[in-house]
Amino acid sequence: SILVRNYHGDPLPLGGTAFALAHVAYILCFWVKTEQCGGFSPAAIAFGGLLYVLAAIALVFHHQANEKSKRNYLLLIGMLAYAAVICLNCTFIFASALAVRTIFGWLTVAGAVSFYISDAILLCGAIGPYKIEYYDEWIWVFYPLGQFLLVAFA
């Protein structure tokens, strides 16, 4: 927590690590499910790659726009690594949905996207120069929705 802190003095790595471990647990579950249902498709890999490219571009611009973090490259590296885990999670869930081909698979994709959105909102609020109206409310819409869709329909 010494390496990367938000600008209120609270450690980000502990929370980021906990969320990343949860994403890794989902990755492992959906990896097994995808392999059991026929494996990965190129479309799933393209989906995850596109998500990561979009996230990386947004993070770099976000990092450069924020005067407080502009010189903190460890923060940028940490954010890019976390984005990679989230995008990998989305990739495995999308691959699983393609392999299973049921409405339940697509509901889990909606859950992964909901997580992706809640993490983007958290990022903007935690370290960004941007103020999001109803910040907490938006997080509490997307995070539980993502959790519910992943657990209920996986």
Side-chain angles (χ1 to χ4, degrees):
S1 71
I2 293 170
L3 295 177
V4 182
R5 291 182 177 267
N6 74 6
Y7 300 100
H8 307 290
D10 301 324
L12 281 176
L14 185 59
T17 301
F19 279 106
L21 289 175
H23 284 293
V24 169
Y26 279 123
I27 288 167
L28 294 174
C29 291
F30 282 97
W31 184 354
V32 169
K33 185 175 183 176
T34 302
E35 288 297 323
Q36 290 172 345
C37 294
F40 290 90
S41 72
I45 296 166
F47 174 77
L50 176 64
L51 279 181
Y52 188 71
V53 167
L54 293 173
I57 290 169
L59 287 170
V60 169
F61 279 116
H62 178 76
H63 185 262
Q64 291 304 309
N66 188 345
E67 289 300 320
K68 293 178 182 177
S69 69
K70 193 180 277 189
R71 292 187 185 91
N72 187 346
Y73 288 100
L74 287 176
L75 179 62
L76 179 60
I77 291 167
M79 291 187 309
L80 289 170
Y82 185 73
V85 171
I86 294 168
C87 293
L88 193 58
N89 185 19
C90 290
T91 302
F92 278 91
I93 292 169
F94 188 71
S96 173
L98 286 174
V100 174
R101 296 190 186 274
T102 67
I103 187 67
F104 301 116
W106 297 111
L107 287 170
T108 60
V109 171
V113 171
S114 187
F115 267 139
Y116 189 85
I117 293 169
S118 73
D119 283 344
I121 293 168
L122 279 167
L123 171 73
C124 288
I127 63 161
Y130 313 108
K131 299 294 179 215
I132 298 173
E133 193 170 351
Y134 304 111
Y135 171 80
D136 289 331
E137 289 82 359
W138 283 116
I139 292 169
W140 284 107
V141 166
F142 288 106
Y143 179 78
L145 177 64
Q147 196 73 276
F148 171 74
L149 290 171
L150 286 174
V151 172
F153 299 110

